[in-house]
């Protein structure tokens, strides 16, 4: 029987005994090596997370290695020791966090954000790497969100939004999780810990006006394990409708994404002079993103399209990373080939929604894809054009936070072979030199 199946059977038995509603709530996975010769998961001195391969007794893999490569526990200790095992939270840790957040009330989320920043700072002091905050499971979506919350939002929390007593209690637990003799997977365990608090207090009960305005982008993680997710989402939407006194004029914002498109192999009959299919693709995208549409409402936009070089000519930093390939050589429909472009979209933001960047990307992608399909019909459905946001692209490369997105943006711009932009767009939408999302 596999260890996962045995674990799940044990969890179901515990559910019957305790009356728990969720298997995850009663699972206790021993990764400390007490009941087996080697631990299931561990973190080395460089912050790399290692996992024991399924069915193996002493063969570990990590994200930095090819899936066929492994190291023994002894090799890891020798080459990258000392190592720390992945552990479950100590008894009472989750209850202590929940109690502190309940007492903080509307300051709970801002206080939790500050506590995460404190823990990341402790990691930086201990190892030189603040990202060790999520070393227990660095590749998960939850870890990416938590790291952004700690490093981007954490330093910005105003003192008036923090409950000092709650901060002290929560920061102590989180710091021990990530800098202690064993490592606790922070992002997932903390999300399960916060869920019941959201159920009790609601989104409005854990956020003050500052948090509702500035921490809404992280609400999916905060509310991810709430049992009343619909009610939470509705409350969050209401919170985003600010009072008239707080209303601001629509701001101009930029967001960039990678457009992975397909173009015919044969040159277009409308090409003139030295123009290429890459030039035509950039012109079609830039021209059609003059105006975007959402739910029947149109709004002005401007697109700057930077065509990237073919995969064979692309610098190593841009081509292959774990789980990502900028171009898709060989993965094109017969008679078609792939072209990738960085698309920077500038728009006014009248809605002021927490996920406005992703909504603009969706609006722009749909408009661009429709324009390309009109000009070059016949592309099979399974080879349709695709879009990828830069923060997700950076996360797939193992890099997180605003600085990683800015670096990725700069790398892509530097490697571009052609640039086109929307002609006749509102001059106020023109990005200044070097501007990035």
């Amino acid at each position: 029987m596999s260890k996962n199946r045995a674990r799940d059977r044990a969890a179901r038995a515990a559910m019957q005994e305790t009356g728990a509603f969720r298997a995850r709530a009663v699972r206790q996975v021993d990764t400390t090596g007490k009941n087996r010769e080697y631990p299931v998961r561990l973190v080395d001195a460089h912050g790399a997370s290692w996992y024991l391969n399924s069915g193996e007794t002493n063969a570990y893999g990590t994200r930095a290695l090819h899936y066929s490569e492994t190291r023994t526990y002894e090799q890891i200790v020798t080459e990258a020791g000392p190592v720390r095992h992945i552990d479950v939270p100590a008894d009472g840790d989750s209850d202590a966090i929940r109690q502190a957040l309940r007492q903080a009330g509307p300051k709970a989320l801002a206080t939790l954000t500050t506590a995460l920043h404190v823990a990341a700072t402790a990691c930086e002091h201990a190892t030189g790497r603040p990202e060790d905050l999520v070393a227990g499971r660095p590749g998960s979506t939850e870890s990416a969100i938590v790291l952004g919350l700690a490093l981007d939002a954490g330093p910005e929390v105003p003192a008036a939004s923090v409950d000092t007593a709650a901060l002290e209690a929560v920061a102590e637990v989180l710091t021990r999780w990530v800098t202690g003799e064993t490592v606790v997977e922070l992002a997932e365990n903390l999300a399960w810990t916060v869920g019941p608090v959201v159920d009790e207090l609601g989104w409005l009960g854990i956020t003050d006006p500052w948090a509702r305005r500035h921490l809404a982008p992280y609400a999916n993680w905060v509310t991810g394990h709430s049992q009343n997710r619909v009610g939470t989402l509705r409350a969050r939407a209401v919170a985003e409708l600010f009072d008239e006194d707080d209303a601001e004029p629509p701001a101009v914002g930029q967001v960039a994404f990678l457009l992975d498109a397909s173009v015919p192999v044969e040159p277009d009959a409308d090409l003139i002079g030295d123009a290429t299919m890459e030039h035509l693709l950039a012109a079609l995208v830039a021209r059609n993103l003059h105006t975007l549409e959402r739910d029947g409402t149109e709004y002005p936009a401007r697109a700057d399209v930077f065509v990237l070089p073919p995969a064979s000519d692309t610098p190593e930093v841009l081509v292959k990373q774990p789980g990502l390939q900028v171009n898709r050589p060989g993965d094109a429909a017969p008679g078609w080939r792939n072209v990738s472009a960085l698309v920077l979209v500038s728009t006014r933001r009248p809605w002021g929604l927490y996920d406005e960047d992703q909504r603009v990307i969706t609006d722009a992608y749909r408009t661009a894809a429709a324009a390309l399909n009109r000009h070059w019909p016949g592309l099979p459905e399974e080879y349709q054009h695709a879009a990828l946001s830069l923060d997700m692209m950076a996360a797939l490369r193992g890099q997180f936070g605003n600085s990683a997105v800015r670096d990725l943006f700069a790398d892509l711009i530097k490697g571009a072979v052609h640039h086109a932009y929307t002609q006749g767009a509102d001059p106020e939408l023109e990005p200044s030199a070097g501007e990035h999302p």
Side-chain angles (χ1 to χ4, degrees):
M1 183 187 302
S2 72
K3 61 179 181 292
N4 289 336
R5 189 175 302 170
R7 179 193 65 187
D8 290 339
R9 287 187 176 180
R12 284 195 294 272
M15 288 169 65
Q16 293 176 352
E17 294 177 4
T18 63
F21 289 102
R22 289 179 254 161
R24 174 63 179 80
V26 296
R27 271 184 194 164
Q28 294 294 317
V29 184
D30 174 26
T31 63
T32 63
K34 296 176 183 177
N35 299 320
R36 53 174 58 86
E37 184 176 1
Y38 293 101
V40 173
R41 302 266 310 287
L42 55 89
V43 174
D44 67 22
H46 306 301
S49 180
W50 296 80
Y51 52 87
L52 189 64
N53 284 357
S54 178
E56 301 286 347
T57 58
N58 188 14
Y60 289 86
T62 189
R63 298 177 69 205
L65 293 178
H66 188 269
Y67 73 90
S68 62
E69 294 185 76
T70 61
R71 299 286 188 274
T72 65
Y73 181 87
E74 291 76 15
Q75 286 176 316
I76 299 170
V77 171
T78 300
E79 298 171 5
V83 301
R84 295 183 292 161
H85 300 177
I86 306 296
D87 206 349
V88 296
D91 292 342
D93 280 355
S94 295
D95 288 340
I97 294 174
R98 291 186 187 120
Q99 182 60 29
L101 295 180
R102 290 188 189 101
Q103 292 177 352
K107 296 183 178 182
L109 183 52
T111 300
L112 179 63
T113 301
T114 304
L116 286 167
H117 180 64
V118 170
T121 302
C123 287
E124 186 171 20
H125 288 163
T127 67
R129 298 179 300 268
E131 60 270 21
D132 278 7
L133 181 75
V134 296
R137 194 181 175 204
S140 73
T141 300
E142 289 179 323
S143 291
I145 294 173
V146 165
L147 199 60
L149 184 63
L151 301 183
D152 295 336
E156 306 299 327
V157 179
S161 295
V162 177
D163 184 293
T164 305
L167 173 62
E168 182 177 351
V170 176
E172 185 278 325
V173 174
L174 301 186
T175 300
R176 174 163 42 81
W177 281 6
V178 295
T179 64
E181 294 182 357
T182 59
V183 178
V184 174
E185 291 182 355
L186 183 140
E188 184 181 10
N189 280 291
L190 188 55
W192 281 102
T193 298
V194 173
V197 181
V198 178
D199 288 338
E200 295 173 26
L201 304 181
W203 174 254
L204 299 181
I206 64 169
T207 56
D208 64 358
W210 183 90
R212 288 195 289 271
R213 177 171 296 222
H214 296 279
L215 300 182
Y218 307 97
N220 282 339
W221 171 77
V222 178
T223 64
H225 295 296
S226 167
Q227 293 300 291
N228 185 21
R229 185 157 175 75
V230 173
T232 300
L233 292 173
R234 287 175 177 169
R236 194 177 73 201
V238 171
E240 288 159 2
L241 299 177
F242 306 128
D243 295 336
E244 291 186 3
D245 293 340
D246 295 329
E248 299 176 355
V252 174
Q254 280 78 37
V255 63
F257 66 94
L258 186 75
L259 176 66
D260 197 7
S262 294
V263 301
V265 171
E266 294 298 324
D268 195 288
D270 295 334
L271 292 179
I272 300 175
D274 297 331
T276 66
M277 294 291 277
E278 284 78 3
H279 294 163
L280 182 53
L281 178 140
L284 287 170
V285 173
R287 181 176 64 193
N288 282 278
L289 295 192
H290 183 279
T291 302
L292 301 181
E293 185 269 337
R294 185 186 307 167
D295 298 330
T297 301
E298 294 185 344
Y299 60 103
R302 168 194 162 116
D304 284 78
V305 184
F306 301 87
V307 179
L308 303 181
S312 59
D313 299 332
T314 306
E316 180 67 20
V317 69
L318 303 182
V319 184
K320 288 189 176 181
Q321 300 292 339
L324 175 67
Q325 186 169 306
V326 171
N327 299 90
R328 300 176 299 176
D331 185 22
W336 298 76
R337 62 185 178 88
N338 298 304
V339 177
S340 292
L342 175 69
V343 182
L344 175 64
V345 184
S346 305
T347 61
R348 286 191 177 85
R349 306 296 182 88
W351 293 277
L353 299 178
Y354 76 95
D355 58 349
E356 189 64 27
D357 280 356
Q358 186 57 52
R359 288 172 179 260
V360 171
I361 289 176
T362 300
D363 298 339
Y365 161 70
R366 289 175 176 170
T367 301
L372 295 178
N373 287 334
R374 284 195 304 270
H375 192 83
W376 293 309
L379 181 63
E381 184 66 29
E382 60 270 26
Y383 294 98
Q384 276 297 313
H385 319 288
L388 184 69
S389 63
L390 291 195
D391 58 344
M392 182 60 68
M393 184 176 176
L396 291 172
R397 296 170 60 176
Q399 301 170 0
F400 308 95
N402 291 338
S403 61
V405 174
R406 287 193 292 267
D407 291 343
L408 175 59
F409 180 84
D411 287 342
L412 293 174
I413 292 291
K414 185 185 300 183
V417 296
H418 177 65
H419 171 223
Y421 61 90
T422 304
Q423 300 288 336
D426 187 335
E428 292 185 3
L429 298 180
E430 181 178 355
S432 58
E435 190 160 10
H436 48 73

